[in-house]
Amino acid sequence: MEVDHERLVQVLCVAEALGVIQNPVQRPRRQHWVHPMNDDKETSGRFLKFYNDIRLYPEKFFLYNRMSIKSFDELLKKVRDHISKRYTPWRNPLTAEERLTITLRYLSTGMTFTALHFEFQIGKSTVGEIVRETCIAIWNVLQKEEMPEPTTEHWLEISNTFYSKTNFPNCLGAVDGKHIRIKNPKNTGSLFFNYKKYFYIILMAVVDANLSFIYIDVGSYGKESDSNIFKESSFGKKLYTNALNIPDPTCLPSSQGSAQPFVFVGDD
């Protein structure tokens, strides 16, 4: 069978552009399955020794993990089944303790994957996978417990706390957006470029009077305004369709006037 080489090259180029295949030239052949620098990781027991030693000193443990031993153990108990990997004939997986420690170090200190790669003697891509998988597990396990959708009774508790702390009645939360600087993702043009002349993603959050998150929305384009992000967020859509279990209007304290609605506060 005669092959039309020109047609074949065209098909391969289209497939590569669509992400169906990747250009092998752009992915150099892997030189090591495990880098020689990390060969003695299991036999040396470096992490296990360090982990057991630092638990003897609670203040050092807190400085290292930004979390007390008690909190660490409680979190580990909840996510262990979700982040533990099976043992295989070829290799032993990293323990749940080490995976959680790597993730906490990344979240609490802002260390790069490269720095964690050297600190824990594992591949840089492995660090990325561990952080991503552990963060997803933490969110899935704790979201309903730590950030549930408020009920009417919960909203009233938040309002009462706002009034007792700030003398502001009928307030259910404070809303604001935070610009988080990033490297511009590939093939995104100016979507993440904003008026500050940097590339950003937006963290939109609603907090109560104790500065605890009620709702968060992360990842919106930096070019978007806070008001547009709020309107398009799941929280904003529920607010505008009266689907947030917000209490009915009530009279202000020490007032006999007409009932006033509950509100969220924000900047201009």
Side-chain angles (χ1 to χ4, degrees):
M1 179 179 178
E2 184 176 353
V3 179
D4 186 340
H5 294 285
E6 183 177 353
R7 176 61 177 168
L8 178 60
V9 170
Q10 291 175 351
V11 171
L12 291 175
C13 289
V14 171
E16 182 185 348
L18 295 175
V20 178
I21 63 172
Q22 294 183 338
N23 187 347
V25 176
Q26 298 176 350
R27 301 184 65 184
R29 181 176 297 177
R30 188 169 185 170
Q31 295 182 354
H32 308 282
W33 182 253
V34 176
H35 196 279
M37 285 182 60
N38 305 329
D39 266 346
D40 66 340
K41 174 179 172 58
E42 289 189 21
T43 56
S44 66
R46 175 180 171 184
F47 172 77
L48 182 60
K49 183 180 185 305
F50 170 78
Y51 178 73
N52 290 332
D53 287 345
I54 199 170
R55 287 179 67 91
L56 300 175
Y57 307 96
E59 69 284 355
K60 297 294 185 182
F61 187 96
F62 183 87
L63 287 174
Y64 185 76
N65 290 289
R66 302 295 200 274
M67 183 179 290
S68 67
I69 296 176
K70 179 181 178 182
S71 296
F72 183 93
D73 291 343
E74 289 178 356
L75 180 59
L76 180 62
K77 182 179 179 180
K78 292 180 178 180
V79 302
R80 180 184 292 277
D81 292 341
H82 301 273
I83 64 176
S84 296
K85 302 297 181 179
R86 294 181 179 179
Y87 285 83
T88 71
W90 299 279
R91 65 174 64 182
N92 295 326
L94 297 181
T95 63
E97 288 82 355
E98 187 166 5
R99 296 173 73 89
L100 181 57
T101 300
I102 290 170
T103 303
L104 292 178
R105 291 288 289 166
Y106 173 76
L107 295 176
S108 63
T109 67
M111 292 180 67
T112 64
F113 289 170
T114 301
L116 291 168
H117 145 68
F118 285 111
E119 181 175 343
F120 290 90
Q121 289 187 291
I122 58 177
K124 187 166 66 173
S125 61
T126 304
V127 172
E129 292 175 5
I130 289 172
V131 170
R132 179 180 60 83
E133 292 174 359
T134 307
C135 284
I136 291 174
I138 292 173
W139 173 259
N140 290 337
V141 170
L142 296 184
Q143 184 267 324
K144 292 183 179 179
E145 177 182 337
E146 300 295 336
M147 201 184 300
E149 184 169 337
T151 62
T152 301
E153 292 73 19
H154 189 192
W155 286 125
L156 289 173
E157 291 178 8
I158 293 173
S159 175
N160 291 335
T161 305
F162 260 107
Y163 183 65
S164 65
K165 287 192 170 186
T166 67
N167 203 32
F168 191 141
N170 288 23
C171 182
L172 299 179
V175 186
D176 202 3
K178 173 67 176 178
H179 291 78
I180 302 172
R181 189 172 179 176
I182 61 170
K183 291 183 178 179
N184 189 29
K186 294 181 180 179
N187 303 318
T188 58
S190 61
L191 289 175
F192 293 94
F193 194 73
N194 75 351
Y195 67 94
K196 295 183 179 181
K197 310 303 180 183
Y198 295 111
F199 294 99
Y200 288 93
I201 58 173
I202 308 296
L203 163 64
M204 177 68 68
V206 183
V207 301
D208 62 19
N210 296 317
L211 304 182
S212 296
F213 286 123
I214 303 172
Y215 168 84
I216 59 171
D217 180 276
V218 186
S220 296
Y221 297 138
K223 71 181 186 66
E224 296 289 343
S225 65
D226 287 352
S227 59
N228 286 335
I229 293 172
F230 183 79
K231 290 177 182 178
E232 295 300 320
S233 68
S234 59
F235 184 89
K237 291 177 180 178
K238 287 187 176 183
L239 176 65
Y240 293 126
T241 57
N242 298 317
L244 281 179
N245 302 316
I246 290 178
D248 294 328
T250 184
C251 293
L252 300 180
S254 304
S255 173
Q256 301 299 322
S258 59
Q260 299 297 318
F262 288 85
V263 301
F264 294 92
V265 296
D267 56 22
D268 293 343

